Structures are given as C-alpha cells and as structure tokens.
Amino acid sequence: MLHELLLSLLGYTGDLVIDDRQRPDHSISDQCTFKLASDISFIQSSERDIIEKTIKLGFYYRELDRFATKSRNLSWIKFGNEPSVKNQSVYRRAIANGLVEVLSVYRSAVLHMEQKLLSDPLPILTTVTQSLNKFFVLLPPLYELILEIDRDGISGGKLLNLLHKRCHCGVPELQTCIQRLLWHGHQVMYNQLASWMVYGILHDQYGEFFIREQEGNSEREASSPTNMAERLARMSVDDGSLSDWHLGFHICLDMLPEYIPLHIAESILFAGKAVRVLRNPSSAFRSVDARHKKLMGDELLPQSESDKIESMLINLKESSEFHKRSFEGAVDSIRAIAASHLWQLVVVRADLNGHLRAIKDYFLLAKGDFFQTFLEESRQLMRLPPRQSTAEADLMVPFRLAVTKTISDEDKYFSRVTLRMPAIGTNIKSSKVNVSKSKFVDGDSNLSSDTSLEMSLDGWDGIALEYSVDWPLQLFFTHEVLSRYCRIFQYLLRLKRTQMELEKSWESVMQQDHSKFSKRHIERANGSTSQQRRQCFRPMWRVREHMAFLIRNLQFYIQVDVIESQWNVLQTHIEESRDFAELVEFHQEYLSALISQSFLDIGSVSRILDGIMKLCLQFCWKMENQETDASTYDLERITEEFNKKSNSLYTILRSSRLAGSQRAPFLRRFLLRLNFNSYFEQTAQGVMNVIRPTPAIPPLQR
C-alpha cells in the first residue's frame, strides 16, 4: 500500500488511488481527480483523510509535469511539421524549465521519503506528511498558475506580469519558487534585448516581445490623402530606407510588463533602431565614407561599444532577482551610447548644420537677394494666371536667371533645392487679376465677401520648394519636418512678394507722375487736369505707405525677432548636445516656435494676414491702372477693407492672450514698432463695430 501511495505521489494511479477523470487526455484538469478507492475497508477514517490530502500532491505533480512536457516539446523539429504559432511560446517554455527544477526537487523528496520508509521497521503515514510538508504550500499555487496560463493562453510580457504579481505573497518558500520561474522568463527577455540592442535584430518568432514590427504601414500610407507640401516632402526622401526608423517598429503595450515604465520601453525601442541604422548604412554613404575612414574612424558603432552594451545585459541576466533601478540604469546607459553614435553620424559625418543653414537660406528666405531677384524676374509672369500644364516650366526661366545672378558655384547645397508648382486644382485658385486687360469684377463682390478674402491669395501661392535629403539625414528631416518648412516658405514668399509689389507700385506711380509732369510743360492746356489727378491720388499714396509700413514691420518681426532668435537658440543646443534624440526634440521645438510665433497656427490671425496681403496686391495693381472711375471706386473699397483688417489684426495681437503670454516673446516689440505714434491704437477703437465714412475722391475730369 505504501509503494502504491508513493507511485501516486508521482502521478501514477492503481488499485488504491484511482483517477476519476472521465476521459483521459493531455489537457489540464480544473479540479483534482485523484481519489482513494471506495472499496478499501481496512483503512481508518483518520488515515483516509491523511491519504486523500496527500495524493492531491500527486495530482498537482502530474498536471505540472504535463504542462512542462507540453511546453518543452520540440519533437516537431525532427519531423519538420511545425505547429501553429498560436500554440508556441518561448516564455512558456522557459517557465516550464523552471517548473522542471521544482518538480525534480519534489521527486528527490519522494525518493528520500521512500528510503526512509524502507529503513523504518514500522513505517507510518506521518513520515509521508512530514517529508512533503513544504510542498503543500508550493504545488497548489503552482497548479493554479499553470491552469490560468493554459486556460487564457498567456505568454510573453503578460506571463511576466502574472508571475510578478504572484511574487508578492506572504509565503517565503512560494515567493522564492515563483521568483525562480520569473528569472527563467527574464532570461528570454534579456536574450531578446541583447539581440535588439546589440545587433539591431528583432528576434521574436511568436510575437511575445514588447517591441513589434509594424505591419501594413505602406498600404495605409499609400491610401491616405496628403496635401501638396506633404507630397513634396515625400518626394525628397527615399521611403524604403525610412521604413525601419519611422514606421518599422513600435511598442506593444499588451506585452509590456507593468514593472517596466513606458519611457524605458521607448529608450529600448530607440536604442535598437539606432543600432540598426549604425550597423546598416546605405551603400551610397558607405562608398563616400570609405574615403574618410582614417579621419572618421573604422566603424559607425565600434566593436568595443557593442561589447560594452552586451556586458551590461549579461550582468542583468546573471542577477538572481530583477532590480528595477539597475535595469533602468543599464537601459539609459545603452540608450546614451546609441544616441551619441547616432549624433556623431548625423551631425558630424552627414554635416547636419550645413543642411540646416541651407534650409534656412532657401526655405526661410535668409538668401534675400536670391528671392528678391527671382520675384523681380517673375513679376510679369505672376501678373497672369498660371497655366495648367506649363506653370512650373514657366517659373523655371526666372528661377534660373536668379540662380545665375546670385548663387555662386561654391554653394554645394543649392543643387538639392528644386522649385515646384502644384497642379492647378480646387485647392489653388488661379489669379483673377490681369493688369493689361483690367479684368476686375465689381468691387462689392470682390471685397465685401469674407469668403472671397479667405480664398488663396493668388494662383502662384502654391509655389513650393523641394529639398533632396540623403541617408542618414532622412532620420532628421522627416516628411513632417519638410512639409512644415514648406508651409513656412510659402507664407514668407507671399509676404516678400507683397512687400516687393508695394515698392514696385510706388516706383511705377512715380515714373508715371514724373512723365506727366514733364508733359505738362509741353501741353499747358492739360496742366490743370494733371494737377487735379495728382491731388486726387495723394491720399492713395498715403494708404500705400500704411500698407508698406505694416508689411515691412511684419517681415522684420518674422525674419529677425522670430527666425534669427530661434536659430541662435537652436545653434546653442546643437553645440551643447551630444544626443541625437535631444537634437530632434530641439529641432521640433524650433519649428513649432517658428510656426506659433508667426501666427500660422492661429486661424483668425492667419486669415486676416492673408486678406491683408491680398488687398495689398489688388491695391498695387489698381494703382498702376488708375485710368477709370471704376478703378477709383475700387481703391476706396480696398482702403476701407484694409483699415478694418489692419486694425482688427492689431486688436487681436495686443490681446493679453498673445502679447501677455510666452507664446511670442518678441510680439511686444512688433506692436511697439507698429504703434510707435499711437496711430493704430487710436484707429482700432471701435473699428470692429463702427464703419467710418471715408472721404470721397472726386471723379477724374476728362
């Protein structure tokens, strides 16, 4: 009887201990099926209770052994018929290895108890219970653990979470046992971390690691609509080489253990992606860099650094317990190594600062002479509506002329800049202005309607720049970054074009006036009419000066107070930082500051500014075509509308929400320059509610 009892403790039933399971299979039973045979009559009730309590250990052992055998079964490798991924788990296999260790201790205890019973002339049941006493607190919780794992299909980071929670118990023996199981699970995680952070390889056959490879990004990206700026940005970079960095991998929160903070997981993700970049440079970069190998070093990521990263992970792996502080410290150190070498690659080897200066020169109009020449050469072209099929080709003629006049051969970055003109469609309205034919519609429909003012200023406002970026600068100049630069460029180019038109209109009007003044000596009869015409349009000249004053100050504010000040801040960060991720963050702050301090993200302000620029262009074209009474009437309407919008702009900008906040630290200087003689402040009072009558300009006499 004792031998049969010992066999039942190892999961084997017989005549004394029977298995009450109805159908034998390999699934884990959710309740104990080991029973003492009911026809045994020579056992007293007290002994029966002890035996029934003891044989439960045999049931737990059998179920634990079945789980371990099932999880560790690799026979499919021999026959080549791999089971479905759903049924496989490297983490469960590791936990099964830990269970095997526990079960081997249990078997040794049973064997030792058998020897003790055989050596005792009068064996008693108390010997059995006394020898296996500690397993009464170990095996039942372990059985409940594997039952939950098998029933819910828990694996990967979820399994580590479950074990971590079960570690917090008041039984030291059980805590030690589950900590050992958790240690086995962490061995798998550390191996995956080593593969990812040392070699940049994601080794996750069954989808259990918290770093996942993104799926289906290219399809979703191809189907999503994009605006012109985004399309131009996408044309500037190679999508294939960027897939790994920007869209290739992400954090799977379901598999992230709760005791690993999200920012640490993000550091792990960044380090692995950085190592992938450093270990897999593009072929073009590799061939160019080979010439400078002696100056730059032998490798992008030296072997000594890889060994250092690996040694940190080995130290974590060999620790008997998971120490959160040590783990986070090691991850931060590894991330710092990867970020430093990535910074060296992008900033030093790829000349990041040179490209930033080139983008500032062309996208932020720092090369003012080039764009001034371009706008002057294309001025007559832009007076006409852009043609659907040849708009970009038409622009290339003045663009090349401006290049010839202002860009030197030593500018090695200009070859990366390309002028683009989008196809004329619903988003870009063609110009309604034709000076030579004077095709202006009635002023009421042009100026009194807010909807027409909120339309695109001109068909040429879609002019954009494309900047060609090579590896590895694609990591820094993303599609989003280039599209934001393109948006700022279009705004600044409209502003500069408006300023140039105001200057050119004054020059043209003065030439006309001087020409008529000289004719007055020849034709004395028309002298009074010329003098009247001059007096008639003198108020319009003052309006032009008000427009030029506002546009000049706005341009000065954006170019000097916003762009130059933020550029100096960015340069300071570049000099002080040695971390690529920090550099990306600083650059994003730089771009956000440019957009916010230029009011591009405030719809009401940007709409008013667009309306003002449109009014200025219309005013200039009207001033140069001042031969009819209708033109005079339109000038009055433009003047009234400009006064309303300029005063509305001043009222919004001087509000406490903008001027009193840190959003635009130099806004007060701009307002001071605008209102240096309190003109704006006086005229802005009541302008939103009261429309003051404007002095009528007497009609011209013929």
Side-chain angles (χ1 to χ4, degrees):
M1 186 191 75
L2 287 175
H3 278 88
E4 192 164 343
L5 177 61
L6 293 175
L7 288 172
S8 69
L9 290 175
L10 296 178
Y12 300 100
T13 57
D15 295 332
L16 178 67
V17 179
I18 60 176
D19 188 359
D20 203 22
R21 178 182 285 194
Q22 294 181 355
R23 51 176 190 173
D25 54 21
H26 296 288
S27 62
I28 298 176
S29 302
D30 56 357
Q31 58 183 355
C32 181
T33 58
F34 279 17
K35 307 274 183 174
L36 190 61
S38 57
D39 57 351
I40 304 297
S41 58
F42 58 87
I43 299 179
Q44 298 180 6
S45 59
S46 59
E47 293 176 334
R48 177 179 289 273
D49 293 340
I50 294 175
I51 293 174
E52 287 183 346
K53 179 183 177 182
T54 305
I55 61 178
K56 285 184 179 180
L57 293 179
F59 169 77
Y60 296 143
Y61 171 85
R62 188 188 70 175
E63 299 304 313
L64 290 169
D65 185 61
R66 281 183 176 178
F67 175 83
T69 303
K70 178 183 176 182
S71 300
R72 301 172 71 214
N73 183 18
L74 297 176
S75 60
W76 56 268
I77 297 177
K78 180 179 179 182
F79 300 103
N81 53 343
E82 184 175 359
S84 64
V85 175
K86 183 179 179 181
N87 299 326
Q88 294 295 306
S89 171
V90 182
Y91 282 84
R92 266 189 277 182
R93 193 180 304 159
I95 301 305
N97 291 334
L99 288 175
V100 168
E101 293 180 1
V102 177
L103 296 181
S104 64
V105 175
Y106 173 78
R107 283 196 304 272
S108 298
V110 173
L111 179 61
H112 179 72
M113 180 184 60
E114 181 186 20
Q115 294 172 350
K116 191 173 182 180
L117 289 173
L118 291 176
S119 63
D120 193 347
L122 295 174
I124 56 176
L125 284 175
T126 310
T127 303
V128 177
T129 57
Q130 187 270 334
S131 300
L132 301 177
N133 187 47
K134 67 177 181 179
F135 294 100
F136 284 105
V137 297
L138 289 180
L139 297 190
L142 292 179
Y143 163 73
E144 293 176 1
L145 176 68
I146 60 125
L147 184 63
E148 183 177 352
I149 293 173
D150 187 72
R151 182 184 66 242
D152 299 336
I154 300 175
S155 61
K158 294 181 179 178
L159 183 53
L160 296 181
N161 266 336
L162 179 62
L163 292 173
H164 188 261
K165 290 178 180 177
R166 295 292 179 94
C167 279
H168 299 87
C169 63
V171 183
E173 294 84 356
L174 179 61
Q175 185 177 13
T176 303
C177 179
I178 297 182
Q179 281 179 347
R180 182 63 181 174
L181 299 182
L182 185 59
W183 180 88
H184 279 277
H186 282 153
Q187 298 305 296
V188 177
M189 185 184 74
Y190 286 133
N191 289 336
Q192 291 177 325
L193 286 175
S195 175
W196 175 246
M197 301 175 78
V198 177
Y199 304 102
I201 299 173
L202 183 61
H203 189 71
D204 185 22
Q205 187 176 0
Y206 305 118
E208 299 178 283
F209 194 36
F210 55 84
I211 303 296
R212 287 279 181 87
E213 191 167 2
Q214 197 81 9
E215 297 177 359
N217 283 293
S218 58
E219 292 79 7
R220 289 195 298 270
E221 193 175 338
S223 62
S224 61
T226 55
N227 58 31
M228 178 60 192
E230 291 175 346
R231 287 200 298 272
L232 286 178
R234 292 184 187 281
M235 291 167 59
S236 303
V237 290
D238 180 12
D239 286 342
S241 63
L242 293 180
S243 58
D244 278 1
W245 181 262
H246 297 295
L247 303 171
F249 303 94
H250 70 286
I251 297 174
C252 178
L253 296 178
D254 290 341
M255 289 298 175
L256 178 63
E258 294 178 356
Y259 50 89
I260 297 180
L262 181 59
H263 72 275
I264 295 297
E266 291 173 347
S267 296
I268 294 172
L269 175 64
F270 171 84
K273 292 196 301 183
V275 171
R276 286 177 68 89
V277 170
L278 295 170
R279 287 188 176 274
N280 300 284
S282 68
S283 55
F285 180 84
R286 195 183 296 114
S287 61
V288 172
D289 190 59
R291 309 172 204 165
H292 309 285
K293 204 168 186 181
K294 293 181 180 179
L295 299 176
M296 294 298 194
D298 294 336
E299 296 176 349
L300 298 179
L301 182 66
Q303 186 60 40
S304 59
E305 298 286 19
S306 298
D307 295 340
K308 185 178 179 181
I309 295 174
E310 191 172 11
S311 65
M312 293 182 191
L313 294 174
I314 289 175
N315 292 335
L316 293 175
K317 187 177 179 181
E318 291 177 348
S319 177
S320 59
E321 295 183 12
F322 180 85
H323 297 285
K324 184 177 178 180
R325 181 175 297 180
S326 301
F327 179 79
E328 293 181 1
V331 169
D332 287 340
S333 299
I334 294 172
R335 182 201 171 283
I337 293 173
S340 174
H341 285 279
L342 196 59
W343 177 91
Q344 182 77 16
L345 169 66
V346 174
V347 176
V348 180
R349 297 195 181 193
D351 188 22
L352 173 66
N353 215 22
H355 289 275
L356 281 173
R357 290 183 183 276
I359 287 180
K360 177 173 177 282
D361 286 344
Y362 299 109
F363 281 81
L364 304 183
L365 273 59
K367 278 191 176 294
D369 56 340
F370 168 73
F371 288 101
Q372 181 72 20
T373 305
F374 168 67
L375 290 174
E376 289 177 354
E377 296 291 343
S378 60
R379 184 173 179 238
Q380 294 303 320
L381 174 65
M382 291 187 184
R383 291 293 185 91
L384 304 174
R387 289 183 286 185
Q388 174 79 22
S389 56
T390 62
E392 185 172 314
D394 294 340
L395 274 177
M396 290 309 297
V397 176
F399 187 76
R400 292 194 181 100
L401 283 174
V403 171
T404 304
K405 292 180 179 180
T406 60
I407 304 298
S408 67
D409 296 336
E410 297 177 358
D411 191 339
K412 60 181 180 180
Y413 301 103
F414 182 75
S415 59
R416 299 177 178 272
V417 179
T418 308
L419 185 71
R420 295 295 182 192
M421 183 69 187
I424 308 300
T426 56
N427 293 332
I428 302 296
K429 306 296 182 183
S430 61
S431 176
K432 300 294 183 183
V433 181
N434 190 329
V435 175
S436 61
K437 299 181 181 180
S438 187
K439 291 184 179 179
F440 286 97
V441 296
D442 185 70
D444 290 330
S445 60
N446 244 5
L447 298 172
S448 60
S449 172
D450 290 337
T451 57
S452 66
L453 292 178
E454 291 177 6
M455 289 166 51
S456 179
L457 297 183
D458 188 270
W460 298 101
D461 290 343
I463 296 175
L465 290 184
E466 173 189 331
Y467 192 80
S468 175
V469 181
D470 296 331
W471 190 96
L473 289 174
Q474 298 156 341
L475 308 177
F476 191 85
F477 296 112
T478 63
H479 300 310
E480 179 192 1
V481 166
L482 291 178
S483 64
R484 295 175 80 183
Y485 271 119
C486 194
R487 179 186 175 191
I488 299 173
F489 164 77
Q490 291 176 329
Y491 173 66
L492 293 177
L493 189 66
R494 287 204 306 268
L495 193 61
K496 189 167 186 65
R497 181 188 173 197
T498 304
Q499 182 227 357
M500 185 202 70
E501 286 291 344
L502 288 169
E503 293 175 353
K504 292 294 183 181
S505 68
W506 174 253
E507 179 182 338
S508 175
V509 169
M510 288 297 100
Q511 287 178 355
Q512 293 178 17
D513 186 70
H514 292 161
S515 175
K516 292 173 182 176
F517 181 78
S518 62
K519 289 180 181 179
R520 198 170 48 178
H521 296 282
I522 301 173
E523 302 174 1
R524 295 288 181 179
N526 297 330
S528 60
T529 304
S530 301
Q531 187 67 23
Q532 181 185 8
R533 186 189 305 274
R534 193 172 187 181
Q535 293 296 329
C536 173
F537 282 97
R538 192 178 297 276
M540 292 299 110
W541 298 347
R542 287 198 294 269
V543 173
R544 189 215 66 88
E545 178 56 32
H546 291 166
M547 290 179 172
F549 176 75
L550 175 60
I551 295 298
R552 277 198 309 268
N553 279 283
L554 179 60
Q555 196 175 25
F556 184 87
Y557 163 72
I558 293 177
Q559 291 289 350
V560 178
D561 291 341
V562 176
I563 294 178
E564 286 300 328
S565 63
Q566 292 300 323
W567 171 259
N568 292 333
V569 172
L570 179 63
Q571 288 299 302
T572 302
H573 287 317
I574 292 176
E575 293 175 1
E576 295 177 353
S577 175
R578 292 296 181 270
D579 188 313
F580 176 77
E582 287 183 357
L583 205 57
V584 171
E585 185 177 349
F586 291 144
H587 185 249
Q588 291 291 347
E589 293 175 357
Y590 165 73
L591 269 178
S592 298
L594 294 186
I595 290 176
S596 64
Q597 295 184 28
S598 300
F599 319 117
L600 288 176
D601 58 341
I602 305 179
S604 59
V605 177
S606 61
R607 282 192 295 270
I608 290 176
L609 289 174
D610 286 348
I612 288 175
M613 285 188 278
K614 179 179 181 180
L615 290 170
C616 291
L617 291 178
Q618 290 179 352
F619 183 87
C620 293
W621 291 321
K622 290 287 185 180
M623 281 288 290
E624 296 179 28
N625 187 38
Q626 44 179 275
E627 298 297 333
T628 64
D629 294 340
S631 176
T632 305
Y633 175 74
D634 287 338
L635 285 173
E636 292 181 15
R637 299 291 299 172
I638 292 174
T639 301
E640 180 181 340
E641 197 67 28
F642 170 76
N643 288 333
K644 287 171 59 179
K645 286 191 174 295
S646 60
N647 287 313
S648 299
L649 175 66
Y650 178 77
T651 303
I652 294 175
L653 293 183
R654 69 189 295 268
S655 65
S656 58
R657 187 170 67 90
L658 290 179
S661 66
Q662 291 300 315
R663 173 191 178 88
F666 299 103
L667 179 57
R668 291 184 180 276
R669 295 187 189 177
F670 173 53
L671 295 175
L672 178 62
R673 285 192 288 266
L674 278 185
N675 194 41
F676 72 98
N677 59 355
S678 301
Y679 172 78
F680 271 94
E681 187 173 1
Q682 292 173 4
T683 57
Q685 295 176 356
V687 74
M688 301 300 291
N689 301 317
V690 178
I691 300 178
R692 295 180 300 277
T694 56
I697 301 176
L700 297 177
Q701 297 180 3
R702 288 183 173 83

